Amino acid sequence: MSYQILASFATMLHHTITAKLDDSNWFIWSKKMISALCTIDMSAIVMGSAAYLSKSKRKEWNMSDGKLSEYIFGLVSDEYQYLVEDTETGSAAWTALKGHFKKSTIGYHMSACKELYNIKHDAFCPISAYIQSLQSA
């Protein structure tokens, strides 16, 4: 098992992840990114380490993990690149992005539900306006 990042990985990322990460697409972006990382046996970055590796494989993995931060940086929209611009590894970049975009707290869930349920359809407005309000909630 090799942990080297092939030159074709960048091309694959370009075709797999067509939209840069922003505040509206974490779920889809992260799933595509995990899938891409699996193709090069680097999916352990989402866990933060590869503790199960031998010392010889860990050195190779760490080198590749360092290169992944650059790939991840390029897949984040300009508005959010500050989150990963100083990270030295893909693991650190993933942790920073996950901490910002994956807000799975009960408070966040409750406020999101409140916002969604407060949207009312005005019969004098086109249905497209109501649908747009739901989609942006």
Side-chain angles (χ1 to χ4, degrees):
M1 182 182 304
S2 176
Y3 296 99
Q4 294 180 3
I5 299 175
L6 304 174
S8 60
F9 182 66
T11 304
M12 186 201 50
L13 281 179
H14 177 71
H15 292 293
T16 303
I17 304 174
T18 55
K20 290 189 173 194
L21 176 63
D22 60 26
D23 61 347
S24 68
N25 64 352
W26 165 255
F27 182 77
I28 293 169
W29 185 91
S30 65
K31 297 302 177 199
K32 289 181 177 183
M33 190 65 187
I34 291 170
S35 176
L37 292 169
C38 285
T39 64
I40 59 168
D41 295 322
M42 292 294 293
S43 60
I45 74 153
V46 300
M47 295 179 282
S49 74
Y52 57 88
L53 295 175
S54 66
K55 282 188 176 185
S56 61
K57 290 289 184 183
R58 178 177 286 294
K59 183 177 179 181
E60 186 179 338
W61 192 88
N62 286 341
M63 287 175 43
S64 294
D65 189 21
K67 293 176 186 175
L68 279 174
S69 64
E70 298 168 20
Y71 287 106
I72 292 172
F73 180 83
L75 295 170
V76 176
S77 67
D78 294 345
E79 183 180 357
Y80 294 102
Q81 285 182 343
Y82 74 93
L83 294 168
V84 294
E85 66 187 352
D86 294 327
T87 57
E88 295 181 6
T89 65
S91 300
W94 186 268
T95 300
L97 293 173
K98 184 178 176 183
H100 182 80
F101 289 106
K102 188 175 180 182
K103 300 173 180 89
S104 59
T105 64
I106 191 69
Y108 179 75
H109 179 75
M110 289 173 64
S111 65
C113 286
K114 181 180 177 186
E115 183 180 339
L116 178 66
Y117 295 139
N118 281 336
I119 297 172
K120 304 290 184 218
H121 174 57
D122 182 356
F124 297 105
C125 292
I127 191 71
S128 60
Y130 175 67
I131 292 171
Q132 178 62 35
S133 297
L134 289 173
Q135 290 175 336
S136 64

